[in-house]
Amino acid sequence: MFTGGLGAHGGAQKIGATVIPASSGNTQRQIQTMIDMKSTILCCTPSYAMFLGETIEEMGVKDQLSLKAGIFGAEPWTEDMRKAIEEKLNIKAHDVYGLSEIMGPGVSYECECQQGMHINEDMFIAEIIDPDTGEVLPEGSKGELVFTTLTKEGFPVIRYRTRDICSLIYEPCKCGRTFIRMNKPTGRSDDMLIIRGVNVFPSQIEEVLLKLGSDVTPNYQIVVDRVNNSDTLEVQVEMSEALFSDDVKSIDKVAKNIHEQLKSILGLSAKVTLVSPKTIARSEGKAKRVIDNRKLV
Ligand SMILES: [Zn+2]
């Protein structure tokens, strides 16, 4: 389940901040709330921050906002995106890292220097390992991030493999904090995709398609892209010969059904495109199921 907002909410209350839990959607109302309540900090995904920025420009209310800074996480974002968000919202944009298995957001945060995220080492021990051998790598190497929790109750983890690939920075930070920093993760050691902040495994999509029986074939491709700073997910599936020769109405019905099922399993809307039989490229080795056109590094 999506725990992101809840963790940030509790943390902000703990330091005495007033929190307005706004959830997602209703963008114009969110902006009006920020104006009315004179919100100073915005916490959401970077792609939603971009969208808010664009809507604020359209509404012409930029000078009515009291925002100072933003904390953005749950999906990969670039330095260019940071600059664009900072400009659009007139704030300083900070990165945050976390994962539901550990505690959600707040495992590490960027300070005012914006040069890597300080890991809260009073709560977590971080290591970088070689994802293939499990061996701990020398300081500064790039590898898989592993966490051990020191204070977590109920669900403590010991050397938990995050599957996120990154490196750690041991040099002291200009801000004066002594906790080590981590660089933004640049990839995964498994096939998980992060789409609009939601974790998606290709196997979840495959499962939906395989349950559909004779209307579609198990030949499919997942195409991920980023359009106007928002992730898009398209699932292309080959129809069976029988469905292909059927009328457009039946084909639409099958596509709609796949869309609904994917939405309920992933919690995310995907564009479903049914393609003619034998049009998806066959591979001689491992099938290439995912085409990720997002350029994030
Ligand atoms: Zn710092």
Side-chain angles (χ1 to χ4, degrees):
M1 293 184 188
F2 210 63
T3 63
L6 192 61
H9 189 139
Q13 275 186 328
K14 184 132 185 160
I15 59 162
T18 302
V19 183
I20 306 164
S23 191
S24 54
N26 274 318
T27 301
Q28 298 214 354
R29 196 181 67 185
Q30 303 227 16
I31 293 164
Q32 194 56 50
T33 307
M34 286 198 277
I35 293 169
D36 293 344
M37 306 302 286
K38 298 189 168 45
S39 304
T40 49
I41 307 288
L42 171 67
C43 194
C44 60
T45 59
S47 50
Y48 193 59
M50 275 301 287
F51 185 66
L52 278 169
E54 279 157 16
T55 313
I56 286 163
E57 267 172 11
E58 277 165 28
M59 289 166 71
V61 293
K62 194 173 167 185
D63 55 350
Q64 294 176 43
L65 290 164
S66 309
L67 287 177
K68 290 178 187 164
I71 301 162
F72 308 115
E75 66 184 11
W77 52 311
T78 58
E79 280 306 313
D80 285 341
M81 206 161 158
R82 187 207 298 271
K83 271 184 225 130
I85 291 171
E86 292 191 329
E87 213 168 279
K88 277 195 192 320
L89 293 171
N90 199 19
I91 58 170
K92 203 151 182 183
H94 300 267
D95 203 357
V96 55
Y97 172 87
L99 56 161
S100 301
E101 304 93 304
I102 306 278
M103 62 168 274
V107 173
S108 66
Y109 270 107
E110 249 178 9
C111 64
E112 61 272 30
C113 300
Q114 297 174 314
Q115 280 170 359
M117 295 173 275
H118 287 280
I119 294 172
N120 288 312
E121 287 183 282
D122 50 342
M123 295 180 138
F124 316 109
I125 297 171
E127 294 171 278
I128 294 288
I129 63 161
D130 178 327
D132 296 324
T133 64
E135 244 173 280
V136 177
L137 295 173
E139 275 190 13
S141 314
K142 201 173 185 180
E144 186 179 329
L145 183 61
V146 171
F147 281 114
T148 296
T149 60
L150 299 174
T151 55
K152 196 166 186 262
E153 292 174 27
F155 191 92
V157 292
I158 299 170
R159 305 199 74 216
Y160 181 78
R161 294 183 61 171
T162 63
R163 301 281 170 187
D164 285 325
I165 303 290
C166 72
S167 59
L168 299 178
I169 307 165
Y170 289 85
E171 291 95 68
C173 182
K174 284 192 197 101
C175 75
R177 289 178 184 85
T178 52
F179 286 162
I180 57 166
R181 288 166 288 158
M182 59 181 271
N183 283 310
K184 265 181 202 297
T186 52
R188 300 270 307 171
S189 65
D190 62 7
D191 59 356
M192 190 183 88
L193 297 160
I194 304 177
I195 299 165
R196 297 198 290 271
V198 179
N199 298 347
V200 174
F201 286 95
S203 56
Q204 292 175 293
I205 294 171
E206 184 164 316
E207 212 171 294
V208 166
L209 299 176
L210 290 176
K211 275 195 198 136
L212 286 165
S214 57
D215 284 334
V216 295
T217 72
N219 296 307
Y220 67 95
Q221 210 152 42
I222 299 162
V223 184
V224 187
D225 210 338
R226 188 161 276 186
V227 181
N228 296 326
N229 294 303
S230 182
D231 295 334
T232 59
L233 170 65
E234 182 184 3
V235 180
Q236 300 171 346
V237 199
E238 274 183 18
M239 291 180 260
S240 64
E241 294 284 354
L243 182 66
F244 184 54
S245 53
D246 217 328
D247 55 50
V248 177
K249 227 168 142 187
S250 323
I251 295 171
D252 281 350
K253 206 175 143 196
V254 172
K256 215 174 153 202
N257 181 26
I258 299 173
H259 176 90
E260 289 305 316
Q261 291 201 38
L262 287 176
K263 200 171 173 186
S264 104
I265 298 251
L266 307 175
L268 196 69
S269 256
K271 181 184 173 200
V272 176
T273 311
L274 292 177
V275 299
S276 320
K278 300 192 178 69
T279 45
I280 288 176
R282 301 296 193 267
S283 151
E284 285 173 4
K286 212 174 151 198
K288 190 165 169 47
R289 296 297 189 200
V290 181
I291 299 172
D292 197 336
N293 293 322
R294 295 175 293 185
K295 288 184 182 54
L296 295 166
V297 188

